[in-house]
Amino acid sequence: MTRILFVTSEVFPLVKTGGLADVSASLPEALCKLGLDCQILLPGYPAALKAAREMGSRRKTRFRYGQYDVALWHTRLPGTAVSLWLVDCPALFDRCGDSPYQNEEGEDWWDNAHRFHLFGRIGAMLALGQLGLSWQPDIVHCNDWQSGLVPVFLADAQHAPKIVFTIHNLAYQGLFSQETFRALGLPDYLWRFEFLEFHEQLSFMKGGLVFSDAITTVSPSYADEIQTPWFGYGLDGLLRHRAGHLTGILNGIDTRAWDPEQDTWLDDHYGPGNLANKAQCKAKLKQELGLAAGGAPLFGFVGRLVEQKGLDWLLAVLRPLLEQGCQFALLGAGQNHYQERLRELAQEWPRQLSLTLGYNEGLAHRITAGSDIFLMPSRFEPCGLNQMYSLRYGTLPVVHGVGGLNDTVFDPCEERQNKANGFVFREPTPDAFLAAIQRALIAKANVKTWRRLQDNAMAADYSWKYRAKEYAALYQNLLAGDSRLHAD
Ligand code: ADP
Ligand code: GLC
């Protein structure tokens, strides 16, 4: 049985800032269902250790690493049979607040480089069987910059497992100063542009990109995009250089948690071919949010309030649509200036625009079910999960045609009738976004057209079933000694 160590800094439901947490829970579970032995490695944040203790889990080993007391716990991801290892290092991970990266004022922890350096070091030791455990992986699967040093530490080791590195978001690279590079005690030769140096800074992300056997990212379109200067954040040259080892595998979603037929956050359920209760979901959502009753189109948005998610474009289209009588259910947390501008609009249009700031799992489900149209005007989107949730709930998305949005949402103007499931704008402007929304409103006015699009959206398979198999095939190729995925 192939053993995989899945190294991640977030996993749902223990710690989450975005889709990485969802994927880090649902992909390992899907891999285990395929018969692989996939075990997760996560920093021992307080919430994770608390859950482990509540499950009666035990500390497996305890040792000193440099100045740090470190222990390793072995437990299970709550609600699953998936094994979870926790790196318990109180000096680095016993921190207040819900964020794994920031203090309660929203500033990055000053010692993030030290935190994820130690995490990477322990990951490498576990992978090499140096911790006296009875389990050792054949494959190490790292995710984003927080695990970027694992491949570096494994680079010169004998009998090292094969390494897969997945890019979930190239915009966050884990950049630190040269002083930090020295303070971490990394060998001098790594301070070269071929290795960890990136414009006079230490880049954790480069560690993953340079030293892994295979690089994946979370959609085929994003795999192409990051090889261009516009989306590459300065790493496009390196990614073009490694193109033969880079591939895009679309994310799946947790189809148990996100299922309109049995969603525990909803009072009323519906499904493909039986949409009657969707109207109930809409009516109740409007009531919950204090929006005026009636038949006005209701738009939903759930996401981080940051530039990536196209907040400027969203803000640009809200007023004309409000004046047209449309309603909005918005949920998110993020940058203050976006929160402020949205708050002003919510105060000005209380019966048409509802804004909920903060993280709210239940409301995210109710917005996905109760809205007519879901908005995702992301500037870039490596994969995106919300458009897949909304498709599954028959809430048709309007999206910018980038990354995973381009690979999952198909516009009737561009696609066959039996595949179209939403609306895509390609020109990166608010006018193009507004035009796509107007097209959606016209389509919505035709009950038959809308229903056909909903049927297409709800019929598709967004699960990990087939997508996890692509990872399994990649692992097998690597173990068979084939790290070249395709010709450059
Ligand atoms: P990203 O990882 O870039 O934030 P994704 O679409 O991959 O984007 O994943 C975001 C995940 O976080 C989804 O599961 C989404 O529902 C959830 N989410 C984002 N913001 C909120 C919020 N304010 N409340 C509840 N869930 C949220
Ligand atoms: C990142 C991306 C998002 C993706 C998620 C999970 O946070 O921004 O597009 O869906 O990772 O891979």
Side-chain angles (χ1 to χ4, degrees):
M1 193 191 277
T2 307
R3 289 161 303 210
I4 297 120
L5 180 66
F6 193 91
V7 186
T8 182
S9 58
E10 304 182 19
V11 61
F12 185 80
L14 297 174
V15 53
K16 167 164 167 173
T17 68
L20 171 62
D22 298 285
V23 171
S24 298
S26 50
L27 174 56
E29 200 182 1
L31 290 168
C32 289
K33 282 198 184 125
L34 290 179
L36 284 77
D37 177 12
C38 182
Q39 310 204 1
I40 302 169
L41 183 73
L42 181 78
Y45 309 113
L49 286 168
K50 183 166 172 271
R53 286 194 190 96
E54 282 169 6
M55 279 190 272
S57 305
R58 297 222 332 263
R59 202 168 56 195
K60 282 283 177 184
T61 179
R62 189 176 171 186
F63 53 96
R64 200 151 170 90
Y65 185 81
Q67 63 187 105
Y68 301 113
D69 277 324
V70 183
L72 214 60
W73 290 69
H74 190 224
T75 181
R76 303 231 166 250
L77 184 64
T80 73
V82 180
S83 277
L84 172 68
W85 297 92
L86 298 174
V87 178
D88 180 12
C89 177
L92 296 178
F93 297 121
D94 186 7
R95 301 281 164 93
C96 49
D98 292 333
S99 168
Y101 318 123
Q102 296 182 335
N103 63 21
E104 280 166 321
E105 278 74 56
E107 298 148 352
D108 287 351
W109 290 112
W110 69 274
D111 57 353
N112 272 348
H114 295 264
R115 300 172 79 218
F116 293 104
H117 172 270
L118 178 102
F119 181 56
R121 185 59 92 176
I122 304 303
M125 290 169 81
L126 201 169
L128 293 171
Q130 294 172 344
L131 296 177
L133 307 170
S134 53
W135 190 85
Q136 204 184 331
D138 308 300
I139 298 273
V140 179
H141 186 156
C142 300
N143 294 277
D144 272 354
W145 74 263
Q146 295 85 351
S147 57
L149 293 190
V150 178
V152 179
F153 297 138
L154 292 176
D156 295 327
Q158 292 212 316
H159 310 298
K162 293 290 179 190
I163 308 164
V164 176
F165 184 83
T166 296
I167 303 166
H168 294 264
N169 195 335
L170 202 59
Y172 302 97
Q173 299 184 357
L175 296 178
F176 303 95
S177 68
Q178 188 171 11
E179 291 78 69
T180 304
F181 174 84
R182 294 219 182 85
L184 294 175
L186 290 164
D188 284 346
Y189 80 89
L190 290 173
W191 190 260
R192 299 206 344 220
F193 85 94
E194 299 96 313
F195 300 131
L196 301 187
E197 188 264 341
F198 179 74
H199 301 285
E200 312 271 299
Q201 290 195 289
L202 158 64
S203 164
F204 274 48
M205 180 66 96
K206 269 186 96 173
L209 302 184
V210 171
F211 291 99
S212 53
D213 296 295
I215 304 169
T216 73
T217 188
V218 290
S219 68
S221 287
Y222 195 58
D224 292 339
E225 289 166 358
I226 54 179
Q227 296 179 53
T228 66
W230 184 261
F231 294 99
Y233 286 91
L235 290 169
D236 46 298
L238 170 57
L239 288 161
R240 283 194 300 278
H241 175 68
R242 297 225 59 202
H245 303 264
L246 165 66
T247 193
I249 301 177
L250 203 56
N251 283 334
I253 61 169
D254 180 339
T255 47
R256 252 180 313 153
W258 290 92
D259 179 359
E261 292 188 300
Q262 51 181 15
D263 188 321
T264 51
W265 297 103
L266 302 180
D267 293 337
D268 306 282
H269 296 102
Y270 62 93
N274 168 26
L275 277 142
N277 277 344
K278 190 166 173 23
Q280 281 293 103
C281 293
K282 178 174 175 179
K284 284 197 184 157
L285 175 68
K286 294 216 285 186
Q287 208 174 15
E288 173 182 352
L289 299 177
L291 296 172
L298 177 60
F299 292 87
F301 174 92
V302 178
R304 292 180 293 121
L305 305 179
V306 296
E307 196 190 346
Q308 175 191 342
K309 300 294 172 184
L311 262 288
D312 292 312
W313 295 342
L314 182 64
L315 279 157
V317 303
L318 284 175
R319 193 174 287 281
L321 291 166
L322 285 162
E323 282 164 1
Q324 213 175 300
C326 298
Q327 295 184 322
F328 295 87
L330 312 179
L331 166 64
Q335 290 173 347
N336 279 334
H337 62 109
Y338 291 132
Q339 300 196 161
E340 270 318 304
R341 286 171 65 193
L342 289 172
R343 211 182 266 138
E344 281 163 24
L345 279 171
Q347 275 161 8
E348 195 182 331
W349 304 82
R351 301 288 279 159
Q352 277 176 252
L353 188 147
S354 145
L355 172 68
T356 308
L357 294 174
Y359 184 86
N360 188 328
E361 188 71 22
L363 184 57
H365 285 247
R366 290 190 291 280
I367 289 177
T368 304
S371 305
D372 297 303
I373 296 171
F374 197 88
L375 300 177
M376 259 180 111
S378 307
R379 295 274 176 144
F380 68 94
E381 195 61 80
C383 179
L385 302 176
N386 288 99
Q387 83 280 12
M388 292 192 270
Y389 301 154
S390 67
L391 285 164
R392 192 146 198 260
Y393 282 64
T395 302
L396 301 185
V398 177
V399 307
H400 184 206
V402 288
L405 300 173
N406 186 51
D407 296 339
T408 52
V409 182
F410 308 105
D411 192 302
C413 292
E414 302 173 354
E415 269 299 339
R416 293 189 316 273
Q417 295 287 313
N418 61 358
K419 199 175 175 195
N421 61 8
F423 301 86
V424 182
F425 66 98
R426 303 212 169 260
E427 203 192 310
T429 63
D431 286 348
F433 181 31
L434 189 56
I437 293 175
Q438 301 295 8
R439 280 195 296 116
L441 288 173
I442 291 168
K444 189 178 175 304
N446 182 326
V447 178
K448 256 173 88 182
T449 306
W450 196 252
R451 188 54 195 267
R452 200 186 53 240
L453 294 169
Q454 284 182 310
D455 287 344
N456 289 347
M458 297 180 82
D461 183 348
Y462 306 101
S463 75
W464 276 107
K465 197 167 159 204
Y466 298 104
R467 299 172 186 181
K469 281 189 182 153
E470 294 188 49
Y471 281 102
L474 171 64
Y475 303 148
Q476 290 318 317
N477 280 352
L478 290 177
L479 292 174
D482 187 4
S483 72
R484 213 164 174 77
L485 301 170
H486 41 75
D488 291 346

